[in-house]
Amino acid sequence: MTEKEIKDKAEQIVEALTALSLGKEPNMLSGEVFKKLANHPNFNQIKSVYIAYLQQFDGNIDTPEDIKRMFDSRLEIVGLFDVI
């Protein structure tokens, strides 16, 4: 998987997580990630990785360490989602 593919997939997962947390429910027109996430066996782990990232996030991505932390979180979220 390329860096762009990881970025795109992680964004889909985070957007689906956000939508679920706002009470939205998937329908037949929803994307595959949104349809699968709530019942995913790693849902709680995915949620925990995102929470951990947000707890360290200060609103800016200015340093190489910030970029690495963001990419590592994306990679972990995608890895957890794709392990079925």
Side-chain angles (χ1 to χ4, degrees):
M1 198 175 255
T2 68
E3 190 172 329
K4 181 176 178 0
E5 290 170 330
I6 292 168
K7 175 189 171 290
D8 292 345
K9 183 77 171 255
E11 287 177 2
Q12 290 174 16
I13 295 166
V14 168
E15 287 171 4
L17 182 58
T18 302
L20 288 169
S21 73
L22 294 173
K24 296 181 182 176
E25 295 183 14
N27 59 47
M28 63 186 260
L29 299 177
S30 298
E32 197 64 29
V33 171
F34 189 34
K35 288 179 183 177
K36 290 181 178 179
L37 186 59
N39 296 315
H40 195 284
N42 291 332
F43 177 75
N44 286 327
Q45 290 172 286
I46 291 167
K47 185 173 59 170
S48 293
V49 169
Y50 188 52
I51 290 168
Y53 172 74
L54 288 176
Q55 288 176 326
Q56 294 180 2
F57 183 60
D58 67 1
N60 297 301
I61 300 175
D62 298 329
T63 67
E65 292 82 18
D66 294 338
I67 294 168
K68 181 178 181 344
R69 187 172 30 254
M70 179 180 59
F71 182 74
D72 289 348
S73 294
R74 286 176 175 171
L75 192 59
E76 190 172 358
I77 287 169
V78 171
L80 286 167
F81 186 82
D82 285 344
V83 175
I84 313 181

